[in-house]
Amino acid sequence: MPDTPTKSAAASLFTRPLTGKVALVTGSTSGIGLGIARAFAMAGADVALNARKVSPETDKLVAEIKAQAGTKVVCVAADMSKPDQVKASIPEAEKHLGKVDIIVNNAGIQHVEPIETFPDEDWESVIGINLSSAFYLTKAALPGMKKRKWGRIINISSAHGLVASAYKSAYVAAKHGLVGLTKVTALETAEEGITANAICPGYVWTPLVQKQIPEQAKAHNMSEEEVVKKVLLSNQPNKKFATVEEMGALAVFLCSDGGASITGTAIPVDGGWVAH
Ligand code: NAD
């Protein structure tokens, strides 16, 4: 007798649930993207990392994850600010790994400045890398997913996809835009075996955040400890950074059989920030 969906969903949590799947994670040589790529490989998926350029550092990461997980791992070079390169990353990953079942739109940058002085080129870059790249990659990945009747699309939005902070106009607009794109993608693919969801992290302990601590301490004339409590984690009620491993675990779950009916959502992972 075939497994009921519930039985197979439960069973998949205790095996390598992504065995046989292929994932492409953008901006995945550090931070959240790398955490998700590692988690996917450990869950049995073949993984295409992405960086602007292939380098000895990316070669080292590829070898390390491959050795740890025992799955196929490659690095696809593509600049997420360039639509043609974004689109080409799908056939490039397919060339090495045969297909792309899962995409994670993770690459992102930030610029913090009031609207009146916010440089036009920074607006364009933040929107291009954080939002438009997700549209172009989704567009390129959907035909293959629809053909195979299976796909998972995860957009790394932010708590700033659900609420705003001053001086982050482009970032907040891009992250809210990603939540909208996620909903539209979910509706257009609902009957195709494809899901689309946004993960909305609060502060996550990544090099990007770690780098800000001494800079902010200097700017605010505070100790690094005060910066963490009073500046960075002031909005995060649990007063703790989330980890890249938590992001990886959620992404694996969304791609497993257990996540099959979760689509069109924006899931906060923020210690209670957007519950305010
Ligand atoms: P990070 O700087 O470690 O990761 C960003 C990645 O994007 C890097 O690997 C970077 O090289 C890559 N990238 C940037 N521009 C690119 C381009 N043009 N082409 C290809 N790759 C490019 O920072 P992170 O904290 O891991 O952030 C990852 C994602 O998570 C971002 O979208 C960010 O907005 C989002 N996010 C982070 C936090 C946090 O607290 N760290 C919170 C909410 C959302």
Side-chain angles (χ1 to χ4, degrees), residues 56-215:
E57 287 76 39
T58 62
D59 288 346
K60 207 172 133 200
L61 268 181
V62 164
E64 187 191 303
I65 300 173
K66 223 191 252 183
Q68 208 179 13
T71 62
K72 288 186 196 156
V73 183
V74 298
C75 183
V76 168
D79 184 334
M80 290 295 130
S81 67
K82 308 239 161 32
D84 289 348
Q85 292 190 27
V86 177
K87 291 183 201 166
S89 66
I90 293 290
E92 182 64 16
E94 285 171 346
K95 194 171 87 190
H96 296 286
L97 302 173
K99 57 179 183 163
V100 177
D101 300 304
I102 298 166
I103 57 169
V104 180
N105 290 301
N106 167 76
I109 58 167
Q110 173 67 284
H111 185 86
V112 182
E113 202 167 327
I115 291 172
E116 295 102 304
T117 56
F118 205 99
D120 296 351
E121 53 281 15
D122 287 306
W123 169 272
E124 296 294 339
S125 304
V126 173
I127 297 291
I129 295 169
N130 296 38
L131 176 59
S132 303
S133 72
F135 168 73
Y136 291 120
L137 196 72
T138 300
K139 189 174 180 180
L142 278 180
M145 291 178 178
K146 283 189 172 174
K147 204 165 80 195
R148 289 183 296 276
K149 290 273 173 206
W150 199 96
R152 295 285 182 271
I153 296 167
I154 297 178
N155 294 323
I156 305 302
S157 178
S158 167
H160 281 124
L162 303 168
V163 295
S165 292
Y167 312 131
K168 295 186 175 177
S169 54
Y171 188 82
V172 169
K175 294 301 188 183
H176 274 68
L178 266 181
V179 171
L181 176 65
T182 304
K183 292 179 184 175
V184 174
T185 309
L187 293 182
E188 291 187 13
T189 59
E191 294 182 58
E192 309 276 354
I194 299 168
T195 70
N197 292 286
I199 294 180
C200 299
Y203 274 102
V204 184
W205 190 244
T206 68
L208 188 86
V209 169
Q210 290 159 27
K211 195 172 147 275
Q212 287 178 33
I213 296 172
E215 289 169 5

